[in-house]
Amino acid sequence: MELNPDEYKDVLDRATARSMEWIESIPDRHVAPSANVDAMKRVFGWPQQDDPIDPVDVVDELATLAEPGLMAMPSGRFFGWVIGGTLPAALGADVLVSSWDQNAAMRYASPATAAIEEVAGEWLLDLLGLPSGSDVGFTTGATMGNWTGLAAARAYVLNQVGWDVNTKGLQGAPTVTVLAGAERHASVDLALRYLGFGLPTIVAADAEGRIRVDALRTTMDTVDGPVILCLQAGNLHSGAFDPMREAIEVAHEHGAWVHVDGAFGLWAAASPSLRAQLDGVETADSWATDAHKTLNVPYDCGVAIISRAGVSRAALGAQTSYLIKDGEASDPYDVAPEMSRRARGVPVWAALRQLGRSGVVALVDGLVANAQALASGLSALPDVTVLNDVVFTQVSLYFGSDDRTRAVTAALIADGAVWMSGSKWQGHDILRISVSNWSTDADDVAFSIEAVRRAIESAT
Ligand SMILES: *Cc1c(COP(=O)(O)O)cnc(C)c1O
């Protein structure tokens, strides 16, 4: 067998052509898929054949068969969950990353991707106003970004009381109290579960879902021993930000480590007009964010940032005979969980390079402007209440009653021309909008308001 570059060329040409069919369909296609998983399982569900087939045919078959079961997540009319599309440079870079096929975990083994990711990390710290020199690790998403920050926190706060969690584990360890707001994201609980902590102690939140500093102070005063506080930049339903400076001050007075889940909301820090809402965020100890949401790089890419020197490496770093260090700097595998991974920080570099600093600000401000335009257009429709202060990219809608809200949501999803998610917030069914796509424009906003109007009319 021989590596034949022509074979790759044929496959890549075909993949590009089929990718372009998909991308060209985005502006006009229905957002919702036309086939469900069961239908897709029937389409793909044959036993594997015995003989090899032409790789170009594999790509063709894949593109043709998958198409009905794809959701147009890259569409400017997709507002589901918190997802985001793909900037052109980020997609191109992602294709290069696949072609290069580097295991990006070791600096020595892949100098180019290591350097590009380190520069992307420095640019991120600068854009987000976080302490320069912090460790930056690229993870699959903010769930693992939260895990990484909280793993560092666990090692640090236990070390402060003379317990080495690396060697002794958690059994018999001093009790660590983990505090989190009532409206933390589910992934914080997951990360805590993976770390052996179980559920956090809950601190009450206000009407917008922000942690209440008075409640935090009261709880903190009752706690003895090592403490970790999880804050949130960007509530899933309201977009609201925890009061960072005050909450972090209270926590630090008690010697706590503060971790901020800023999966999408941390990007507000890049915008001069939004940054005040995150005032003091830079005084925390660790942060998680996503690049695959607000920054619009392809899946998957999260970011874990840890400010205290040496902590990530002590908590996460591996030492084995076969890993080769290139100098004193931390390797990618020292600051994030994986020992083998794709160079997922490279599309981050490309997105930031395409946008420039002003482009990042315009991207973030544009998402917020569209969220506010949707909120104001929708609140003019009959029976629509916007439940939250639209301070960022999230809008939560209510249609008079829970039943009615569920009916409108079902009608909207059945129509499929735009996509928004149903959810529950503060005991009520809601319809939630997340504006996370760089390409959403005024036409998409008008079209989407019209789609909700149709859903209101047709809902029974
Ligand atoms: C999306 C999200 C997460 C989880 O991020 P993943 O990238 O899905 O792992 C965590 N916190 C918040 C606030 C989120 O919106």
Side-chain angles (χ1 to χ4, degrees):
M1 296 257 235
E2 200 181 328
L3 188 153
N4 177 3
D6 286 339
E7 221 178 355
Y8 283 93
K9 184 177 186 325
D10 291 346
V11 169
L12 284 174
D13 284 348
R14 191 59 60 95
T16 301
R18 300 306 306 260
S19 297
M20 284 316 301
E21 281 175 26
W22 165 247
I23 291 168
E24 281 161 3
S25 79
I26 297 285
D28 298 315
R29 79 184 282 131
H30 266 216
V31 176
S34 59
N36 64 15
V37 182
D38 287 343
M40 283 284 106
K41 287 296 277 285
R42 284 193 293 277
V43 167
F44 280 101
W46 64 82
Q48 189 187 7
Q49 86 283 359
D50 280 330
D51 298 324
I53 70 168
D54 185 330
V56 173
D57 292 341
V58 175
V59 167
D60 255 339
E61 181 176 77
L62 196 54
T64 303
L65 297 184
E67 198 267 349
L70 296 175
M71 171 89 88
M73 293 185 188
S75 164
R77 290 172 280 109
F78 178 83
F79 304 104
W81 302 283
V82 185
I83 284 192
T86 297
L87 289 163
L91 176 58
D94 205 59
V95 173
L96 284 179
V97 166
S98 290
S99 306
W100 293 341
D101 191 24
Q102 305 286 289
N103 182 341
M106 217 189 313
R107 299 174 92 230
Y108 176 84
S110 183
T113 60
I116 295 163
E117 290 192 340
E118 285 175 19
V119 169
E122 286 160 20
W123 288 357
L124 280 176
L125 295 178
D126 191 38
L127 275 168
L128 300 174
L130 300 179
S132 68
S134 298
D135 285 320
V136 180
F138 290 100
T139 60
T140 47
T143 303
M144 287 312 290
N146 284 332
W147 182 91
T148 304
L150 292 167
R154 184 182 69 164
Y156 181 85
V157 298
L158 282 170
N159 191 50
Q160 293 292 96
V161 292
W163 186 270
D164 178 11
V165 76
N166 286 354
T167 53
K168 296 187 186 161
L170 277 186
Q171 304 200 59
T175 300
V176 178
T177 304
V178 183
L179 304 176
E183 294 204 15
R184 72 212 172 278
H185 190 266
S187 67
V188 169
D189 289 9
L190 276 182
L192 293 172
R193 193 199 295 174
Y194 302 159
L195 288 163
F197 281 134
L199 287 172
T201 301
I202 301 306
V203 181
D206 68 12
E208 296 293 322
R210 296 172 293 223
I211 204 167
R212 277 177 36 199
V213 177
D214 59 332
L216 175 64
R217 207 172 264 124
T218 309
T219 311
M220 273 289 182
D221 286 341
T222 68
V223 172
D224 239 3
V227 191
I228 298 169
L229 171 65
C230 305
L231 294 178
Q232 178 167 259
N235 177 295
L236 217 52
H237 295 115
S238 68
F241 305 89
D242 284 348
M244 295 292 164
R245 186 175 296 283
E246 270 191 289
I248 295 168
E249 263 171 27
V250 170
H252 280 169
E253 277 165 24
H254 287 76
W257 177 291
V258 183
H259 172 77
V260 178
D261 172 12
F264 64 97
L266 199 57
W267 290 88
S271 157
S273 60
L274 299 167
R275 178 151 183 109
Q277 299 190 76
L278 277 168
D279 176 55
V281 71
E282 70 284 356
T283 62
D285 303 287
S286 58
W287 304 263
T289 191
D290 269 320
H292 56 217
K293 292 179 178 174
T294 313
L295 186 62
N296 281 254
V297 308
Y299 278 90
D300 50 31
C301 187
V303 189
I305 302 166
I306 289 153
S307 68
R308 287 182 195 268
V311 178
S312 2
R313 194 151 159 186
L316 301 158
Q319 278 107 34
T320 75
S321 55
Y322 58 84
L323 295 170
I324 302 171
K325 282 272 170 213
D326 187 348
E328 284 309 302
S330 289
D331 275 284
Y333 65 76
D334 286 319
V335 296
E338 291 151 324
M339 292 182 75
S340 295
R341 67 164 173 86
R342 73 191 273 101
R344 61 169 70 91
V346 172
V348 173
W349 181 90
L352 297 177
R353 179 83 176 123
Q354 179 191 326
L355 294 170
R357 295 180 65 89
S358 69
V360 175
V361 177
L363 166 66
V364 177
D365 286 351
L367 301 177
V368 178
N370 283 323
Q372 289 171 341
L374 279 163
S376 86
L378 289 166
S379 62
L381 299 179
D383 296 337
V384 178
T385 310
V386 174
L387 296 176
N388 62 309
D389 290 342
V390 183
V391 295
F392 198 51
T393 55
Q394 309 298 102
V395 185
S396 284
L397 302 170
Y398 194 62
F399 298 85
S401 73
D402 285 14
D403 285 348
R404 185 89 189 125
T405 301
R406 280 198 308 275
V408 173
T409 302
L412 187 81
I413 286 173
D415 177 83
V418 307
W419 185 277
M420 300 168 184
S421 317
S423 184
K424 268 199 191 286
W425 189 37
Q426 302 181 344
H428 287 290
D429 287 289
I430 61 162
L431 177 61
R432 192 187 63 203
I433 293 171
S434 174
V435 184
S436 301
N437 192 294
W438 68 275
S439 73
T440 300
D441 62 14
D443 287 345
D444 293 320
V445 167
F447 185 94
S448 303
I449 293 168
E450 180 54 25
V452 174
R453 196 193 57 70
R454 277 199 312 275
I456 293 171
E457 270 179 11
S458 68
T460 47

